[in-house]
Amino acid sequence: MTEIVLLLIRRHSCGTVVAVIQQNMTRAETLAAFADHVRFEDISSEALGRLKHNLLDTIGCAIAALGGEPVRAVREQVREFHSDGKSTLIGGGVAAPHMAAFHNGALVRYVDFMDNYLAKKQSGHPSDTTGAVLAASEYADRSGKDFLLALALSYQVFCVLLDRFPVQQHGYDHTLQLGIAIACGTSKALGLTLAQTTNAIAITASSVQGLVEVRSDYLSQWKGIASAFTGMDALFAAFLAMRGITGPSEVFEGIRGLENVIGEKLDVDWSKMGLDRVLRTSIKPYNAEVHSQCAIEGMLELANVHDLKADTIDAIDLEIFRQANNIIGEGTEAGHKKRVFSKEQADHSIFYLLAVAILDREVTPKQFLPDRIVQADVQQLLQKIEAGRKSNIGMLDSYTNAYPEEVRCKITVRLKTGTELTCEKKDFYGFYSRPMSWDDVVKKFDTLSEPFTDSELRQQIVETVWSLERKELKDLTKLLAQVKAPPI
């Protein structure tokens, strides 16, 4: 491994860490140097506030998932094989850190209601880093401030990689960037040296990659668990690096490294990075894939203003940007989005989502219960919706060009009377440019966690998250252990 010499480090008033380092450092080493040298003071007050919004939202999503069938299977496996350890399981119990990362990560991801980051060519969920960073931080007996720093770091790395190292168009899932980000965040939480952090990054980047097929075609339950699997493996890699196991430090630029295999260059000057990318994340107001949020908001506005009834509707046309059409509409990567018989397919089908929004006037976890998904009313109405069909007139291209700064859509509802109702949107409440207030994040948290908590526990969790930099992390994990998971 190349010897790393930091010649100069200084901090600007904005909190950015600037380092002049040897030019012969590998990509993994420069990323590790960034992870090694960031400090809590590099998080601006605005970014810290937004990080707490996202953390509370993430915890709410995790608690809401406790009744999910795949999550119960995960919990059963963790309890049978890995019931000893130092890391708390949300809902009670402890496990080895990497297994707690898997369990809690599956909870965070399963309901698909957590935060998101939109890059030009790929999107992902920064909160998917939380389970592993929490487990590592608790194992190392870190403070709340230490945990927030490690979480902010993992958010930063993940979002920057989505921007600057997109892999989806080459067939790889965003869990590739996620694993690298988790390796950075957990290394920080564990207090690894610069060399150890480099090895954690190298081991993870060379070994933990998923295929975008996980989120293409007809979706399986693995869609909601793959990121947790990545978190488990990335944290395990960090522990191996802590014990001296080395990894290929030229994992990015090497002759068989990721850059050459994937065809993208990781050309990032990490020495000039801050910890503010959380400010570009969005929180979902609706329990659905992120690219659907704008359309759902518009559909609900039309349904409520005009008191829409399913039997009065002749057809619905949706014009939307290409990324949304590819993932949840009629694009080539979307798969069979009008064949909706599972939770995983329903929350990634714009047809189901708009139909159920009209019928139920909400899109929450209740709309993804098996009995609701298969009911005739929603199955019939979703067949009347078309997405992207008017793209030939150029509207879709103009929406695509505005993405990700805007998430434009236009909904046209044609009634059987011949009347046409339209609604155009460019963002949604919770989008990074129109962020959700703390009070509304708390309301969402309360609604999601209510089945498994009492009001006193919810209030304690809210207050602890808000003041976490002044508390010990165990103050939060003790509360998460009190959440009442249903029996297996």
Side-chain angles (χ1 to χ4, degrees):
M1 180 181 297
T2 303
E3 182 182 2
I4 301 171
V5 180
L6 295 176
L7 302 178
L8 172 67
I9 298 175
R10 65 181 183 273
R11 296 180 183 275
H12 287 192
S13 58
C14 63
T16 302
V17 178
V18 180
V20 181
I21 52 185
Q22 284 187 320
Q23 294 301 309
N24 60 347
M25 289 175 67
T26 67
R27 307 267 205 237
E29 288 168 346
T30 58
L31 176 54
F34 170 67
D36 186 55
H37 286 279
V38 292
R39 299 294 181 264
F40 184 80
E41 293 71 26
D42 298 319
I43 310 174
S44 70
S45 58
E46 184 181 8
L48 180 61
R50 190 73 65 86
L51 187 64
K52 293 176 183 178
H53 282 62
N54 290 42
L55 176 58
L56 183 63
D57 184 67
T58 299
I59 293 171
C61 293
I63 294 173
L66 282 167
E69 180 182 349
V71 169
R72 289 186 182 188
V74 168
R75 191 171 184 84
E76 182 178 358
Q77 178 151 323
V78 171
R79 280 190 169 182
E80 180 173 355
F81 299 117
H82 301 276
S83 59
D84 295 328
K86 295 178 60 177
S87 297
T88 299
L89 303 179
I90 297 173
V94 294
H98 67 296
M99 294 308 299
F102 178 51
H103 175 274
N104 294 341
L107 289 178
V108 168
R109 184 63 178 82
Y110 177 68
V111 295
D112 203 356
F113 207 170
M114 68 292 202
D115 65 17
N116 203 281
Y117 182 84
L118 302 178
K120 191 67 175 178
K121 295 182 179 180
Q122 195 169 13
S123 63
H125 306 277
S127 53
D128 278 337
T129 65
T130 307
V133 174
L134 180 69
S137 299
E138 185 178 18
Y139 171 87
D141 197 24
R142 298 302 181 194
S143 67
K145 180 185 290 187
D146 295 332
F147 166 68
L148 289 170
L149 172 59
L151 188 63
L153 169 62
S154 64
Y155 264 62
Q156 184 75 19
V157 174
F158 182 54
C159 295
V160 171
L161 291 177
L162 289 175
D163 275 326
R164 304 290 292 276
F165 196 60
V167 299
Q168 181 173 326
Q169 61 189 343
H170 306 291
Y172 289 91
D173 191 37
H174 63 245
T175 49
L176 189 155
Q177 298 103 319
L178 177 68
I180 297 167
I182 290 173
C184 292
T186 55
S187 294
K188 190 71 174 178
L190 294 172
L192 301 193
T193 66
L194 197 154
Q196 290 170 332
T197 301
T198 300
N199 287 320
I201 292 168
I203 294 169
T204 302
S206 62
S207 306
V208 184
Q209 306 99 16
L211 297 178
V212 78
E213 178 63 18
V214 171
R215 303 174 208 290
S216 303
D217 296 313
Y218 199 87
L219 299 177
S220 69
Q221 292 177 337
W222 195 246
K223 172 182 75 73
I225 302 176
S227 58
F229 198 78
T230 297
M232 173 182 66
D233 285 350
L235 177 53
F236 197 79
F239 277 117
L240 290 174
M242 182 178 74
R243 288 171 169 80
I245 300 296
T246 62
S249 65
E250 294 184 334
V251 64
F252 293 103
E253 68 271 42
I255 191 169
R256 292 291 184 266
L258 285 173
E259 291 185 343
N260 290 312
V261 170
I262 293 173
E264 297 283 346
K265 293 293 184 182
L266 182 59
D267 187 18
V268 177
D269 187 353
W270 293 103
S271 69
K272 296 181 179 179
M273 283 287 168
L275 294 174
D276 60 351
R277 202 56 65 98
V278 65
L279 296 174
R280 283 291 302 264
T281 62
S282 303
I283 289 179
K284 296 179 183 180
Y286 309 108
N287 189 184
E289 199 275 341
V290 67
H291 296 102
S292 70
Q293 301 293 305
C294 205
I296 294 172
E297 184 174 278
M299 190 76 264
L300 286 171
E301 289 177 6
L302 286 176
N304 290 323
V305 170
H306 300 282
D307 193 25
L308 289 181
K309 299 291 191 295
D311 58 5
T312 68
I313 296 172
D314 180 53
I316 299 173
D317 291 323
L318 172 68
E319 299 171 53
I320 203 162
F321 48 98
R322 185 175 294 110
Q323 291 84 348
N325 195 44
N326 282 344
I327 297 171
I328 56 177
E330 296 177 330
T332 55
E333 299 175 14
H336 314 286
K337 297 307 184 188
K338 287 193 174 182
R339 288 172 47 200
V340 181
F341 304 108
S342 69
K343 185 264 182 200
E344 289 76 18
Q345 193 72 0
D347 66 28
H348 270 55
S349 167
I350 193 62
F351 312 107
Y352 178 85
L353 295 169
L354 295 187
V356 83
I358 294 171
L359 293 165
D360 295 2
R361 299 294 200 268
E362 64 177 359
V363 182
T364 72
K366 291 186 293 184
Q367 277 64 56
F368 302 102
L369 296 174
D371 290 345
R372 180 65 189 107
I373 293 171
V374 300
Q375 286 178 17
D377 60 348
V378 70
Q379 289 290 331
Q380 292 170 1
L381 183 56
L382 71 85
Q383 301 298 330
K384 296 183 178 183
I385 302 171
E386 304 295 342
R389 290 296 177 88
K390 292 186 178 181
S391 60
N392 291 333
I393 64 174
M395 188 68 76
L396 185 63
D397 286 342
S398 67
Y399 289 0
T400 298
N401 292 336
Y403 176 89
E405 285 73 26
E406 295 177 345
V407 280
R408 290 184 173 273
C409 69
K410 181 180 179 180
I411 303 167
T412 302
V413 179
R414 298 200 305 272
L415 302 180
K416 292 178 179 179
T417 61
T419 300
E420 286 195 352
L421 308 173
T422 63
C423 178
E424 292 190 64
K425 305 288 291 185
K426 66 176 183 179
D427 61 12
F428 58 87
Y429 181 55
F431 192 57
Y432 79 89
S433 61
R434 190 155 58 104
M436 196 175 290
S437 69
W438 175 252
D439 287 345
D440 284 339
V441 173
V442 171
K443 289 178 183 177
K444 180 182 173 184
F445 166 79
D446 285 341
T447 300
L448 289 173
S449 59
E450 188 273 335
F452 306 104
T453 61
D454 57 35
S455 60
E456 181 180 357
L457 180 57
R458 291 195 297 276
Q459 183 177 355
Q460 288 178 323
I461 292 173
V462 170
E463 292 175 350
T464 300
V465 169
W466 184 247
S467 58
L468 191 55
E469 74 274 23
R470 300 187 296 276
K471 294 182 178 293
E472 296 302 316
L473 181 59
K474 61 186 177 183
D475 295 331
L476 177 60
T477 56
K478 286 179 180 178
L479 297 174
L480 300 181
Q482 296 175 38
V483 175
K484 302 298 183 184
I488 297 174

